[in-house]
Amino acid sequence: MNKVTRPESFSIFDTYFEAMIRHHGTNGTERTDGKSGHTLSRLEIVRTDWTIRREGEIRCASEAAMVELSFCFEGCGQVEVSGSAHDLQEGSCSLQLMRDFSASFRYEQGARVRTLAFGMPVWLFNAYHGPVAAASASAFDRLLGTDSFRQFRCPILPATRRLLQELEDCPYTGAMKDMYLEAKALELFAVYTNRFLYESDSQAPVSGTLSRTDRQKIREAREEIVKRMDAPPSLLELSRIVGINDYKLKLGFKELYGTSVFAYLREQRLHKAGELLRTGDMSVSEAAARVGYMNFSHFAEAFRRKFGMNPSVYRKEPR
């Protein structure tokens, strides 16, 4: 971490990770990439990548208060915070307000948990929600009421996947890196705060109708189409491969990943093609064929929409 002074509220992140380590010890949790944190002037960014080796309940508590925007890219589990129970949902984003709470977490043995979280101090959250009269409750207090925890959740919005990728691909170092990361983080907060708090349908929850078995089969379907992106199965074939009916697969995939099966496949194909072109070892036509595009003009058009430039130009961009 850099040397910016951390607000006390960000100790909530530490409390959770200390509980994980206490519960699992060195043998219970394998750190794939572990935990990495970056403290900015007003926000904190925490990335995690864990593989759970021993199932069990992990408990923690904190008297601090914080607003957290978190993205779950991969993982299965159940969370209970001050009596409010939730499933960890892969492919989802949640805005969470918390104070003086206790929590318990239970992850499936063997599950990989990969997340990205942003912490925002309560004073900053309140400042962004307009001036409040002295006699009025703050935005944070109005939303929480007498509760200790409140969560808003939806699938990760396709429009924000670019922002998430830009965070990963930060082109700066030092002070410019902090400025860049904070700008991207605040943009994500703006998109999802607007979604959850101001749009008319913002509080419509993720349906939660999928069983644990259904979610596992849909994750298997995702892995199958990524593995076979050069010659993917049809939706009906895919549903037969993983053992779920095609209607439930179609709706469940949208619920978990926020997009359709084949829109997700298209995104993965283009990301993979971009990676292949960046190596400089493949021609544009070879990269297109490798990810399953037989029509070069269709590939070039989709690539331009995704990356804002022709694939031949992208291939020559500085690494």
Side-chain angles (χ1 to χ4, degrees), residues 3-81:
K3 295 183 179 179
V4 175
T5 302
R6 297 175 77 220
E8 183 181 355
S9 58
F10 295 162
S11 66
I12 291 173
F13 288 129
D14 299 333
T15 300
Y16 166 72
F17 286 107
E18 288 165 4
M20 284 280 284
I21 292 168
R22 281 197 309 271
H23 175 79
H24 291 99
T26 55
N27 296 322
T29 306
E30 176 185 278
R31 295 189 178 200
T32 308
D33 286 323
K35 166 204 170 214
S36 64
H38 196 91
T39 302
L40 305 170
S41 61
R42 297 174 296 175
L43 305 176
E44 177 140 326
I45 302 175
V46 177
R47 295 177 176 85
T48 65
D49 194 341
W50 304 76
T51 298
I52 307 302
R53 295 304 184 195
R54 179 161 61 87
E55 190 170 347
E57 191 173 36
I58 302 144
R59 293 180 175 272
C60 64
S62 175
E63 295 180 355
M66 185 178 73
V67 178
E68 177 184 340
L69 182 69
S70 64
F71 296 85
C72 177
F73 302 115
E74 191 170 354
C76 299
Q78 294 78 44
V79 182
E80 183 173 321
V81 186

Coordinates of all heavy atoms in Angstrom, one line a residue, residues 3-81:
K3 N 1.4 5.4 1.1 CA 1.5 6.0 2.5 C 0.4 7.0 2.9 O 0.5 7.7 3.8 CB 2.9 6.6 2.7 CG 4.0 5.6 2.6 CD 5.4 6.2 2.8 CE 6.5 5.2 2.7 NZ 7.8 5.8 2.9
V4 N -0.7 7.0 2.1 CA -1.8 7.9 2.4 C -2.4 7.4 3.7 O -2.6 6.2 3.9 CB -2.8 7.9 1.3 CG1 -4.1 8.7 1.7 CG2 -2.3 8.4 0.0
T5 N -2.7 8.3 4.6 CA -3.3 7.9 5.9 C -4.7 7.3 5.7 O -5.5 7.9 5.0 CB -3.5 9.2 6.8 OG1 -2.2 9.7 7.0 CG2 -4.1 8.8 8.1
R6 N -5.0 6.2 6.2 CA -6.2 5.5 6.0 C -7.3 5.9 7.0 O -7.0 5.9 8.2 CB -6.0 4.0 6.2 CG -5.1 3.3 5.2 CD -4.9 1.8 5.6 NE -6.0 1.0 5.2 CZ -6.6 0.1 5.9 NH1 -6.1 -0.2 7.1 NH2 -7.6 -0.7 5.4
P7 N -8.5 6.3 6.6 CA -9.6 6.5 7.5 C -9.9 5.3 8.3 O -9.7 4.2 7.9 CB -10.8 6.8 6.6 CG -10.1 7.2 5.3 CD -8.9 6.5 5.2
E8 N -10.3 5.5 9.6 CA -10.6 4.4 10.5 C -11.6 3.5 9.9 O -11.6 2.3 10.2 CB -11.1 5.0 11.8 CG -11.3 3.9 12.9 CD -11.9 4.5 14.2 OE1 -11.9 5.8 14.3 OE2 -12.2 3.7 15.1
S9 N -12.5 4.0 9.1 CA -13.6 3.1 8.5 C -13.0 2.0 7.7 O -13.6 0.9 7.6 CB -14.6 4.0 7.7 OG -13.9 4.6 6.7
F10 N -11.9 2.2 7.1 CA -11.3 1.2 6.2 C -10.8 0.0 7.0 O -10.4 -1.0 6.4 CB -10.2 1.8 5.3 CG -10.7 2.8 4.3 CD1 -9.9 3.7 3.7 CD2 -12.1 2.9 4.0 CE1 -10.4 4.6 2.8 CE2 -12.6 3.8 3.1 CZ -11.7 4.7 2.5
S11 N -10.8 0.1 8.3 CA -10.4 -1.0 9.2 C -11.4 -2.2 9.0 O -11.1 -3.3 9.4 CB -10.3 -0.6 10.6 OG -11.6 -0.3 11.1
I12 N -12.6 -1.9 8.5 CA -13.5 -3.0 8.2 C -13.0 -4.0 7.3 O -13.1 -5.2 7.5 CB -14.8 -2.4 7.6 CG1 -15.6 -1.5 8.7 CG2 -15.8 -3.4 7.1 CD1 -16.7 -0.8 8.2
F13 N -12.2 -3.6 6.2 CA -11.6 -4.5 5.4 C -10.6 -5.4 6.1 O -10.5 -6.6 6.0 CB -10.8 -3.8 4.2 CG -11.7 -3.2 3.2 CD1 -11.5 -1.8 2.8 CD2 -12.7 -3.9 2.5 CE1 -12.3 -1.2 1.9 CE2 -13.5 -3.3 1.6 CZ -13.3 -2.0 1.2
D14 N -9.8 -4.8 7.0 CA -8.8 -5.5 7.8 C -9.5 -6.6 8.7 O -9.0 -7.7 8.8 CB -8.0 -4.6 8.6 CG -7.2 -3.6 7.8 OD1 -6.9 -3.9 6.6 OD2 -6.9 -2.5 8.3
T15 N -10.6 -6.2 9.3 CA -11.3 -7.0 10.2 C -11.7 -8.3 9.5 O -11.6 -9.4 10.0 CB -12.5 -6.3 10.8 OG1 -12.1 -5.2 11.5 CG2 -13.3 -7.2 11.7
Y16 N -12.2 -8.2 8.3 CA -12.7 -9.3 7.5 C -11.5 -10.3 7.2 O -11.6 -11.5 7.3 CB -13.3 -8.9 6.2 CG -13.5 -10.0 5.2 CD1 -14.5 -11.0 5.4 CD2 -12.8 -10.0 4.0 CE1 -14.7 -12.0 4.4 CE2 -12.9 -11.0 3.1 CZ -13.9 -12.0 3.3 OH -14.0 -13.0 2.4
F17 N -10.4 -9.7 6.7 CA -9.3 -10.5 6.3 C -8.6 -11.2 7.5 O -8.1 -12.3 7.4 CB -8.3 -9.7 5.4 CG -8.8 -9.5 4.1 CD1 -9.2 -8.2 3.7 CD2 -8.9 -10.5 3.1 CE1 -9.8 -8.0 2.4 CE2 -9.4 -10.3 1.9 CZ -9.9 -9.0 1.5
E18 N -8.6 -10.5 8.6 CA -8.0 -11.1 9.8 C -8.9 -12.3 10.2 O -8.3 -13.3 10.7 CB -7.9 -10.1 10.9 CG -6.8 -9.0 10.7 CD -7.0 -7.8 11.6 OE1 -8.0 -7.8 12.5 OE2 -6.2 -6.9 11.5
A19 N -10.2 -12.2 10.1 CA -11.1 -13.3 10.4 C -10.9 -14.5 9.5 O -10.9 -15.6 9.9 CB -12.5 -12.8 10.4
M20 N -10.7 -14.2 8.2 CA -10.4 -15.3 7.2 C -9.1 -16.0 7.6 O -9.1 -17.3 7.6 CB -10.2 -14.6 5.8 CG -11.5 -14.2 5.2 SD -12.4 -15.6 4.4 CE -11.4 -15.9 2.9
I21 N -8.1 -15.3 8.0 CA -6.8 -15.9 8.3 C -6.9 -16.7 9.6 O -6.4 -17.8 9.7 CB -5.7 -14.9 8.4 CG1 -5.4 -14.3 7.0 CG2 -4.4 -15.5 8.9 CD1 -4.6 -13.1 6.9
R22 N -7.6 -16.1 10.6 CA -7.8 -16.9 11.9 C -8.5 -18.2 11.7 O -8.1 -19.2 12.3 CB -8.6 -16.0 12.9 CG -7.8 -14.9 13.6 CD -8.5 -14.4 14.8 NE -9.9 -14.0 14.5 CZ -10.3 -12.8 14.1 NH1 -9.3 -11.9 14.0 NH2 -11.5 -12.5 13.9
H23 N -9.5 -18.1 10.9 CA -10.3 -19.3 10.7 C -9.6 -20.4 9.9 O -9.6 -21.6 10.3 CB -11.6 -19.0 9.9 CG -12.5 -20.2 9.6 ND1 -13.3 -20.8 10.5 CD2 -12.6 -20.9 8.5 CE1 -13.9 -21.9 10.0 NE2 -13.4 -21.9 8.7
H24 N -9.0 -20.0 8.8 CA -8.4 -21.0 7.9 C -6.9 -21.4 8.3 O -6.5 -22.5 7.9 CB -8.4 -20.6 6.5 CG -9.8 -20.5 5.9 ND1 -10.6 -19.4 5.9 CD2 -10.6 -21.5 5.4 CE1 -11.8 -19.6 5.3 NE2 -11.8 -20.9 5.1
G25 N -6.2 -20.5 8.9 CA -4.8 -20.7 9.1 C -4.1 -20.8 7.8 O -4.6 -20.5 6.7
T26 N -2.9 -21.3 7.8 CA -2.0 -21.3 6.6 C -2.5 -22.4 5.7 O -2.2 -22.4 4.5 CB -0.6 -21.5 7.0 OG1 -0.4 -22.7 7.8 CG2 -0.1 -20.3 7.8
N27 N -3.2 -23.5 6.2 CA -3.5 -24.6 5.4 C -4.9 -24.5 4.9 O -5.3 -25.2 3.9 CB -3.4 -25.9 6.2 CG -1.9 -26.2 6.6 OD1 -1.0 -25.9 5.8 ND2 -1.8 -26.7 7.8
G28 N -5.8 -23.7 5.5 CA -7.2 -23.7 5.1 C -7.5 -22.8 3.9 O -8.4 -23.1 3.1
T29 N -6.7 -21.8 3.7 CA -7.0 -20.9 2.6 C -5.7 -20.7 1.7 O -4.7 -20.3 2.2 CB -7.4 -19.5 3.1 OG1 -8.5 -19.6 4.0 CG2 -7.8 -18.5 2.0
E30 N -5.9 -21.0 0.5 CA -4.7 -20.8 -0.4 C -4.9 -19.5 -1.1 O -5.9 -19.2 -1.7 CB -4.7 -21.9 -1.5 CG -3.6 -21.7 -2.5 CD -3.7 -22.8 -3.6 OE1 -3.2 -23.9 -3.4 OE2 -4.3 -22.5 -4.7
R31 N -3.9 -18.6 -1.0 CA -4.0 -17.3 -1.7 C -3.6 -17.5 -3.1 O -2.4 -17.7 -3.4 CB -3.1 -16.3 -1.0 CG -3.5 -16.0 0.4 CD -2.7 -14.9 1.0 NE -3.1 -14.5 2.3 CZ -2.9 -13.4 2.9 NH1 -2.2 -12.4 2.3 NH2 -3.3 -13.1 4.1
T32 N -4.5 -17.4 -4.0 CA -4.2 -17.4 -5.4 C -3.3 -16.2 -5.8 O -2.3 -16.3 -6.3 CB -5.4 -17.5 -6.3 OG1 -6.2 -18.6 -5.8 CG2 -5.1 -17.8 -7.8
D33 N -3.9 -15.1 -5.6 CA -3.2 -13.8 -5.6 C -3.3 -13.1 -4.3 O -2.7 -12.1 -4.0 CB -3.7 -12.9 -6.7 CG -3.3 -13.4 -8.1 OD1 -2.2 -13.9 -8.2 OD2 -4.1 -13.2 -9.0
G34 N -4.1 -13.7 -3.4 CA -4.3 -13.1 -2.0 C -5.1 -11.8 -2.1 O -6.0 -11.7 -2.8
K35 N -4.6 -10.9 -1.2 CA -5.3 -9.6 -1.1 C -4.3 -8.5 -1.4 O -3.2 -8.6 -1.0 CB -5.8 -9.5 0.4 CG -6.2 -8.1 0.7 CD -6.2 -7.9 2.2 CE -6.4 -6.4 2.5 NZ -5.6 -5.9 3.7
S36 N -4.8 -7.6 -2.2 CA -3.9 -6.4 -2.4 C -4.8 -5.1 -2.2 O -5.9 -5.1 -2.6 CB -3.3 -6.4 -3.8 OG -4.3 -6.3 -4.8
G37 N -4.2 -4.1 -1.6 CA -5.0 -2.9 -1.3 C -4.2 -1.7 -1.7 O -3.0 -1.7 -1.9
H38 N -5.0 -0.7 -2.0 CA -4.4 0.6 -2.5 C -5.2 1.7 -1.8 O -6.4 1.9 -2.1 CB -4.5 0.7 -4.0 CG -3.6 1.8 -4.5 ND1 -2.3 1.5 -4.9 CD2 -3.8 3.1 -4.7 CE1 -1.7 2.6 -5.4 NE2 -2.6 3.6 -5.3
T39 N -4.6 2.5 -0.9 CA -5.3 3.6 -0.3 C -5.1 4.8 -1.0 O -4.0 5.2 -1.3 CB -4.8 3.7 1.2 OG1 -5.0 2.5 1.9 CG2 -5.6 4.9 1.9
L40 N -6.2 5.5 -1.5 CA -6.2 6.7 -2.2 C -6.4 7.9 -1.2 O -6.5 7.7 0.0 CB -7.2 6.7 -3.3 CG -7.0 5.5 -4.3 CD1 -8.2 5.4 -5.2 CD2 -5.7 5.6 -5.0
S41 N -6.6 9.1 -1.7 CA -6.8 10.2 -0.8 C -8.1 10.1 0.0 O -8.2 10.5 1.1 CB -6.7 11.5 -1.6 OG -7.7 11.6 -2.5
R42 N -9.1 9.5 -0.7 CA -10.4 9.5 0.0 C -11.1 8.1 -0.1 O -12.1 7.8 0.6 CB -11.4 10.5 -0.7 CG -10.9 11.9 -0.5 CD -11.8 12.9 -1.3 NE -11.7 12.6 -2.7 CZ -12.5 13.2 -3.6 NH1 -13.4 14.1 -3.3 NH2 -12.3 13.0 -4.9
L43 N -10.5 7.2 -0.9 CA -11.1 5.9 -1.1 C -10.1 4.8 -0.9 O -8.9 5.1 -0.8 CB -11.6 5.7 -2.6 CG -12.6 6.8 -3.1 CD1 -12.9 6.5 -4.6 CD2 -13.9 6.8 -2.3
E44 N -10.5 3.6 -0.7 CA -9.6 2.4 -0.6 C -10.1 1.4 -1.6 O -11.3 1.1 -1.8 CB -9.6 1.8 0.8 CG -8.7 0.6 0.8 CD -7.8 0.5 2.1 OE1 -7.4 1.6 2.6 OE2 -7.6 -0.6 2.6
I45 N -9.1 0.8 -2.4 CA -9.4 -0.3 -3.3 C -8.8 -1.6 -2.8 O -7.6 -1.6 -2.4 CB -8.8 0.1 -4.7 CG1 -9.4 1.4 -5.2 CG2 -9.1 -1.1 -5.7 CD1 -8.7 1.8 -6.5
V46 N -9.6 -2.6 -2.7 CA -9.1 -3.9 -2.3 C -9.5 -5.0 -3.3 O -10.7 -5.2 -3.6 CB -9.7 -4.3 -0.9 CG1 -9.2 -5.6 -0.5 CG2 -9.3 -3.2 0.2
R47 N -8.5 -5.7 -3.8 CA -8.7 -6.8 -4.7 C -8.4 -8.1 -3.9 O -7.5 -8.2 -3.1 CB -7.8 -6.8 -5.9 CG -8.0 -5.6 -6.8 CD -7.0 -5.6 -7.9 NE -7.2 -4.5 -8.9 CZ -6.8 -3.3 -8.8 NH1 -6.1 -3.0 -7.7 NH2 -7.0 -2.4 -9.7
T48 N -9.2 -9.1 -4.1 CA -9.0 -10.4 -3.5 C -9.1 -11.5 -4.5 O -9.8 -11.5 -5.5 CB -10.0 -10.7 -2.4 OG1 -11.3 -10.9 -2.9 CG2 -10.0 -9.6 -1.3
D49 N -8.3 -12.6 -4.3 CA -8.3 -13.8 -5.1 C -7.9 -14.9 -4.2 O -6.7 -15.1 -3.9 CB -7.4 -13.6 -6.3 CG -7.6 -14.7 -7.3 OD1 -8.3 -15.7 -7.0 OD2 -7.2 -14.5 -8.5
W50 N -8.9 -15.6 -3.7 CA -8.7 -16.7 -2.7 C -9.3 -18.0 -3.2 O -10.3 -18.0 -3.9 CB -9.3 -16.4 -1.3 CG -9.0 -15.1 -0.7 CD1 -9.5 -13.9 -1.0 CD2 -8.2 -14.9 0.4 NE1 -8.9 -12.9 -0.2 CE2 -8.1 -13.5 0.7 CE3 -7.4 -15.8 1.2 CZ2 -7.4 -13.0 1.8 CZ3 -6.7 -15.3 2.3 CH2 -6.7 -13.9 2.6
T51 N -8.7 -19.1 -2.8 CA -9.3 -20.4 -3.0 C -9.5 -21.0 -1.6 O -8.6 -21.2 -0.8 CB -8.5 -21.4 -3.8 OG1 -8.3 -20.8 -5.1 CG2 -9.1 -22.7 -4.0
I52 N -10.8 -21.4 -1.3 CA -11.1 -21.8 0.1 C -10.8 -23.3 0.2 O -11.4 -24.1 -0.6 CB -12.6 -21.6 0.4 CG1 -12.9 -20.1 0.1 CG2 -12.9 -22.0 1.8 CD1 -12.1 -19.1 1.0
R53 N -10.0 -23.7 1.1 CA -9.6 -25.1 1.3 C -10.4 -25.8 2.4 O -10.4 -27.1 2.5 CB -8.1 -25.2 1.5 CG -7.2 -24.8 0.4 CD -7.6 -25.5 -0.9 NE -6.7 -25.1 -2.0 CZ -6.9 -25.4 -3.2 NH1 -8.1 -26.0 -3.6 NH2 -6.1 -25.1 -4.2
R54 N -11.0 -25.1 3.2 CA -11.8 -25.7 4.3 C -13.1 -25.0 4.6 O -13.1 -23.8 4.8 CB -10.9 -25.8 5.6 CG -11.7 -26.4 6.8 CD -10.6 -26.8 7.9 NE -9.9 -25.7 8.4 CZ -10.3 -25.0 9.4 NH1 -11.4 -25.2 10.0 NH2 -9.5 -24.0 9.9
E55 N -14.2 -25.7 4.5 CA -15.5 -25.0 4.7 C -15.7 -24.8 6.2 O -15.2 -25.5 7.0 CB -16.6 -25.9 4.1 CG -18.0 -25.2 4.1 CD -19.0 -26.1 3.4 OE1 -18.6 -27.0 2.7 OE2 -20.2 -25.7 3.5
G56 N -16.4 -23.7 6.5 CA -16.7 -23.3 7.8 C -17.2 -21.9 7.9 O -17.2 -21.2 7.0
E57 N -17.6 -21.5 9.1 CA -18.1 -20.2 9.3 C -17.0 -19.2 9.8 O -16.2 -19.6 10.7 CB -19.2 -20.2 10.4 CG -20.0 -19.0 10.5 CD -21.2 -19.1 11.4 OE1 -21.1 -19.8 12.4 OE2 -22.3 -18.5 11.1
I58 N -17.0 -18.1 9.1 CA -16.0 -17.0 9.5 C -16.8 -15.9 10.0 O -17.7 -15.3 9.4 CB -15.3 -16.6 8.2 CG1 -14.6 -17.8 7.6 CG2 -14.3 -15.5 8.5 CD1 -14.5 -17.8 6.1
R59 N -16.4 -15.5 11.3 CA -17.2 -14.4 11.9 C -16.3 -13.2 12.1 O -15.1 -13.3 12.4 CB -17.7 -14.9 13.3 CG -18.7 -15.9 13.2 CD -19.2 -16.4 14.6 NE -20.3 -17.3 14.6 CZ -21.6 -17.0 14.5 NH1 -21.9 -15.7 14.5 NH2 -22.5 -17.9 14.5
C60 N -16.9 -12.0 12.0 CA -16.2 -10.8 12.3 C -17.2 -9.7 12.7 O -18.4 -9.8 12.5 CB -15.3 -10.3 11.1 SG -16.3 -9.8 9.7
A61 N -16.7 -8.6 13.3 CA -17.6 -7.5 13.8 C -16.7 -6.2 13.7 O -15.5 -6.3 13.9 CB -18.1 -7.8 15.2
S62 N -17.4 -5.1 13.6 CA -16.8 -3.8 13.6 C -17.7 -2.8 14.1 O -18.9 -2.8 13.8 CB -16.3 -3.5 12.2 OG -15.7 -2.2 12.2
E63 N -17.2 -1.8 14.8 CA -18.0 -0.6 15.2 C -17.9 0.5 14.2 O -18.6 1.5 14.4 CB -17.6 -0.2 16.6 CG -17.8 -1.2 17.7 CD -17.4 -0.7 19.1 OE1 -16.8 0.4 19.1 OE2 -17.6 -1.4 20.0
A64 N -17.1 0.4 13.2 CA -16.9 1.4 12.2 C -18.0 1.5 11.2 O -18.9 0.6 11.2 CB -15.6 1.2 11.5
A65 N -18.1 2.6 10.4 CA -19.1 2.8 9.4 C -18.4 3.0 8.1 O -17.4 3.7 8.0 CB -20.0 3.9 9.8
M66 N -19.0 2.6 7.0 CA -18.4 2.7 5.7 C -19.5 2.4 4.6 O -20.5 1.7 4.8 CB -17.3 1.7 5.5 CG -16.5 1.9 4.2 SD -15.1 0.7 4.1 CE -15.9 -0.8 3.8
V67 N -19.3 3.0 3.4 CA -20.0 2.6 2.2 C -19.1 1.8 1.3 O -17.9 2.2 1.1 CB -20.5 3.9 1.5 CG1 -21.3 3.5 0.2 CG2 -21.4 4.7 2.4
E68 N -19.5 0.7 0.9 CA -18.7 -0.2 0.0 C -19.4 -0.5 -1.3 O -20.6 -0.8 -1.3 CB -18.4 -1.5 0.8 CG -17.5 -2.5 0.0 CD -17.3 -3.8 0.7 OE1 -17.5 -3.8 1.9 OE2 -17.0 -4.8 0.0
L69 N -18.6 -0.3 -2.4 CA -19.1 -0.8 -3.7 C -18.2 -2.0 -4.0 O -17.0 -1.9 -4.1 CB -18.9 0.3 -4.7 CG -19.4 0.0 -6.1 CD1 -20.9 -0.1 -6.2 CD2 -18.9 1.0 -7.1
S70 N -18.9 -3.2 -4.2 CA -18.1 -4.4 -4.4 C -18.6 -5.1 -5.6 O -19.8 -5.2 -6.0 CB -18.1 -5.3 -3.2 OG -19.4 -5.7 -2.9
F71 N -17.6 -5.8 -6.3 CA -17.9 -6.6 -7.5 C -17.4 -8.0 -7.2 O -16.3 -8.2 -6.8 CB -17.1 -6.1 -8.7 CG -17.5 -4.7 -9.1 CD1 -17.0 -3.6 -8.5 CD2 -18.5 -4.5 -10.1 CE1 -17.4 -2.3 -8.9 CE2 -18.9 -3.2 -10.5 CZ -18.4 -2.1 -9.8
C72 N -18.3 -9.0 -7.4 CA -18.0 -10.4 -7.3 C -17.8 -11.0 -8.6 O -18.8 -11.1 -9.4 CB -19.0 -11.1 -6.5 SG -18.7 -12.9 -6.3
F73 N -16.6 -11.3 -9.0 CA -16.4 -11.8 -10.3 C -16.5 -13.4 -10.3 O -16.8 -14.0 -11.3 CB -15.0 -11.5 -10.8 CG -14.8 -10.0 -10.9 CD1 -13.8 -9.3 -10.1 CD2 -15.5 -9.2 -11.8 CE1 -13.6 -8.0 -10.2 CE2 -15.3 -7.8 -11.8 CZ -14.4 -7.2 -11.0
E74 N -16.2 -13.9 -9.2 CA -16.2 -15.4 -9.1 C -16.3 -15.8 -7.6 O -15.7 -15.1 -6.7 CB -14.9 -16.0 -9.6 CG -14.8 -17.4 -9.8 CD -13.6 -17.9 -10.5 OE1 -12.8 -17.0 -11.0 OE2 -13.4 -19.1 -10.6
G75 N -17.2 -16.8 -7.3 CA -17.3 -17.2 -5.9 C -18.7 -17.7 -5.6 O -19.7 -17.3 -6.1
C76 N -18.8 -18.6 -4.6 CA -20.0 -19.1 -4.0 C -19.9 -19.0 -2.5 O -18.9 -19.3 -1.9 CB -20.2 -20.6 -4.4 SG -20.3 -20.9 -6.2
G77 N -21.0 -18.6 -1.9 CA -21.1 -18.6 -0.4 C -22.3 -17.9 0.1 O -23.1 -17.4 -0.7
Q78 N -22.4 -17.9 1.4 CA -23.5 -17.2 2.0 C -23.0 -16.2 3.1 O -21.9 -16.5 3.7 CB -24.4 -18.2 2.8 CG -25.2 -19.2 1.8 CD -24.3 -20.3 1.3 OE1 -23.5 -20.9 2.1 NE2 -24.3 -20.6 0.1
V79 N -23.6 -15.1 3.2 CA -23.2 -14.0 4.1 C -24.4 -13.6 4.9 O -25.5 -13.5 4.4 CB -22.7 -12.8 3.3 CG1 -22.2 -11.7 4.2 CG2 -21.6 -13.2 2.3
E80 N -24.2 -13.4 6.2 CA -25.2 -12.9 7.1 C -24.6 -11.7 7.8 O -23.6 -11.9 8.5 CB -25.7 -13.9 8.1 CG -26.9 -13.4 8.9 CD -27.5 -14.5 9.8 OE1 -27.7 -15.6 9.3 OE2 -27.8 -14.2 11.0
V81 N -25.3 -10.6 7.7 CA -24.8 -9.3 8.4 C -25.9 -8.8 9.3 O -26.9 -8.4 8.8 CB -24.3 -8.3 7.3 CG1 -23.7 -7.1 8.1 CG2 -23.4 -8.8 6.3

